[in-house]
Amino acid sequence: MTDAAIARTTARPPAGEPSAWDQLKVNRNWLGFWFMVPAMAFLVLFLVYPLGKGLWMSFTDARIGREGRFVGLENFEWLLDDRDFIHALVFTLVFTFVASAVKFAIGLYLALLLNNNLPFKAFIRSVVLIPFIVPTVLSAVAFWWIFDTQFSVITWGLVKLGFIDRSSPINWMGDPFLTQCVVIFANIWRGIPFIAITLLAGLQTVSPSLYEAATLDGATKWQNFRYVTYPLLTPIIAVVMTFSVLFTFTDFQLIWAMTRGGPVNATHLMATLSYQRGILGGNLGEGAAIAISMVPFLLAAIMFSWFGLQRRKWQQGESND
């Protein structure tokens, strides 16, 4: 008897229209919003707030121990006349462009190579990942030892081969240009696996029947890559290169662990210079201004990728070609 009453009560439709709160609880769009709230709160707490705080500090003369007063664009105007900042900006752009271009070229080559049927392919993939999984500081220490002026294994090898004299070793970490080349090489070595493995995952999604059809039509290997592989891989290339540019542009650990921005500030990136001026130097306003100066370049990289994907309409499975 009780079960029958409960069943009748459950089956009975609710009286009147559902409340707005009831609609919010069952509406699919609002349910998605509720599930996004924790992630949004996390982003606001750890990303939006620090960015807003840094933006405000860039307009003040704040130092460690005091809040500072509002000075407008004075910090940014002063940076335009700062030779160290201009040098750090130029080197950051060169560092990002050269490293990203080389990483993409080698990473794409490795991805195409590993996509073939090779012996011990699983082992080779594991070896390729090693530079990416090794801690950054450990990599920096290894490169510092490899290119150390006195104990460089490369210099030792060149001496043994008779290319240089033992009394005149190569000053890898003392010459500004050579040091810049060393840190770029180190960044390339660490970043290649990320691009190679990501592009390899994209290559795995390309249907072999497309290559078979193109081959039957007389396409060469280059034409297969140009008209089959590259167009289908373009969305993944855009995404992976955006991340690569962002990671390279904001690289801090590798540079700071290897050179601290030296010699004579030759290897300072904007990130390391911001840390040196803001934290070590105590001038929080100036350090925040340098950090905020990075934002337009990062947004430009993101928007370039986004507009490229929108133009090709890959999200809708269409192409303008």
Side-chain angles (χ1 to χ4, degrees), residues 1-13:
M1 188 70 179
T2 304
D3 295 336
I6 293 175
R8 286 195 300 271
T9 303
T10 305
R12 184 181 304 146

Side-chain angles (χ1 to χ4, degrees), residues 33 89 141 175 205 214 263 269 284 317:
F33 172 77
L89 172 61
V141 172
D175 182 85
T205 64
L269 300 181
L284 297 178

Side-chain angles (χ1 to χ4, degrees), residues 110-227:
L110 287 177
L112 294 172
L113 184 65
L114 294 175
N115 195 42
N116 298 324
N117 293 322
L118 300 175
F120 308 107
K121 183 164 62 175
F123 174 75
I124 296 175
R125 290 180 181 178
S126 302
V127 172
V128 169
L129 277 174
I130 289 178
F132 189 68
I133 62 178
V134 172
T136 304
V137 175
L138 184 58
S139 300
V141 172
F143 277 104
W144 179 84
W145 173 74
I146 292 173
F147 292 100
D148 182 71
T149 302
Q150 294 182 347
F151 306 104
S152 170
V153 65
I154 297 179
T155 301
W156 177 83
L158 294 176
V159 169
K160 289 297 182 181
L161 293 174
F163 290 108
I164 62 175
D165 186 71
R166 185 185 298 272
S167 61
S168 302
I170 301 176
N171 192 12
W172 296 103
M173 305 300 288
D175 182 85
F177 177 74
L178 291 179
T179 309
Q180 291 174 346
C181 295
V182 168
V183 295
I184 291 175
F185 177 78
N187 181 274
I188 291 172
W189 183 82
R190 283 192 52 80
I192 286 175
F194 170 72
I195 295 178
I197 297 301
T198 306
L199 295 182
L200 178 60
L203 289 172
Q204 299 290 313
T205 64
V206 180
S207 175
S209 61
L210 297 176
Y211 295 114
E212 295 174 1
T215 302
L216 290 175
D217 289 338
T220 62
K221 290 185 177 181
W222 166 250
Q223 290 172 330
N224 275 332
F225 172 79
R226 173 65 181 85
Y227 297 105

Side-chain angles (χ1 to χ4, degrees), residues 234-235 238-239 304-315:
T234 298
V239 173
F304 179 82
S305 174
W306 187 81
F307 280 117
L309 291 177
Q310 289 295 317
R311 182 181 60 83
R312 295 185 64 90
K313 299 183 179 179
W314 285 101
Q315 291 84 348

Side-chain angles (χ1 to χ4, degrees), residues 3-319:
D3 295 336
I6 293 175
R8 286 195 300 271
T9 303
T10 305
R12 184 181 304 146
E17 294 294 329
S19 64
W21 175 248
D22 292 331
Q23 292 182 8
L24 291 179
K25 290 190 294 183
V26 299
N27 185 278
R28 293 176 62 89
N29 295 330
W30 279 101
L31 281 177
F33 172 77
W34 297 130
F35 281 116
M36 288 294 296
V37 166
M40 293 169 57
F42 181 85
L43 292 176
V44 169
L45 181 61
F46 293 101
L47 293 179
V48 177
Y49 173 75
L51 180 61
K53 182 69 173 180
L55 181 62
W56 164 251
M57 291 177 60
S58 68
F59 295 115
T60 69
D61 61 352
R63 298 185 63 87
I64 293 180
R66 64 179 176 87
E67 289 292 328
R69 57 185 177 83
F70 181 79
V71 295
L73 297 176
E74 183 177 317
N75 287 323
F76 296 95
E77 293 174 354
W78 186 84
L79 288 177
L80 294 177
D81 296 326
D82 184 358
R83 294 182 58 184
D84 289 338
F85 171 75
I86 299 299
H87 185 277
L89 172 61
V90 173
F91 180 63
T92 301
L93 295 176
V94 173
F95 177 85
T96 303
F97 177 79
V98 174
S100 298
V102 176
K103 283 188 287 188
F104 171 72
I106 300 178
L108 179 60
Y109 172 77
L110 287 177
L112 294 172
L113 184 65
L114 294 175
N115 195 42
N116 298 324
N117 293 322
L118 300 175
F120 308 107
K121 183 164 62 175
F123 174 75
I124 296 175
R125 290 180 181 178
S126 302
V127 172
V128 169
L129 277 174
I130 289 178
F132 189 68
I133 62 178
V134 172
T136 304
V137 175
L138 184 58
S139 300
V141 172
F143 277 104
W144 179 84
W145 173 74
I146 292 173
F147 292 100
D148 182 71
T149 302
Q150 294 182 347
F151 306 104
S152 170
V153 65
I154 297 179
T155 301
W156 177 83
L158 294 176
V159 169
K160 289 297 182 181
L161 293 174
F163 290 108
I164 62 175
D165 186 71
R166 185 185 298 272
S167 61
S168 302
I170 301 176
N171 192 12
W172 296 103
M173 305 300 288
D175 182 85
F177 177 74
L178 291 179
T179 309
Q180 291 174 346
C181 295
V182 168
V183 295
I184 291 175
F185 177 78
N187 181 274
I188 291 172
W189 183 82
R190 283 192 52 80
I192 286 175
F194 170 72
I195 295 178
I197 297 301
T198 306
L199 295 182
L200 178 60
L203 289 172
Q204 299 290 313
T205 64
V206 180
S207 175
S209 61
L210 297 176
Y211 295 114
E212 295 174 1
T215 302
L216 290 175
D217 289 338
T220 62
K221 290 185 177 181
W222 166 250
Q223 290 172 330
N224 275 332
F225 172 79
R226 173 65 181 85
Y227 297 105
V228 178
T229 304
Y230 178 74
L232 295 178
L233 210 60
T234 298
I236 299 177
I237 291 175
V239 173
V240 74
M241 288 309 298
T242 299
F243 279 102
S244 177
V245 169
L246 296 182
F247 294 155
T248 305
F249 193 90
T250 58
D251 195 0
F252 173 85
Q253 298 181 60
L254 187 65
I255 301 296
W256 194 255
M258 288 185 65
T259 66
R260 299 290 196 277
V264 292
N265 296 327
T267 58
H268 260 312
L269 300 181
M270 296 177 71
T272 58
L273 184 64
S274 173
Y275 176 78
Q276 185 187 67
R277 297 285 180 84
I279 304 301
L280 300 184
N283 195 336
L284 297 178
E286 182 184 340
I290 297 174
I292 292 299
S293 300
M294 300 168 61
V295 174
F297 298 97
L298 300 177
L299 289 178
I302 295 173
M303 297 306 293
F304 179 82
S305 174
W306 187 81
F307 280 117
L309 291 177
Q310 289 295 317
R311 182 181 60 83
R312 295 185 64 90
K313 299 183 179 179
W314 285 101
Q315 291 84 348
Q316 290 79 22
E318 302 175 6
S319 175

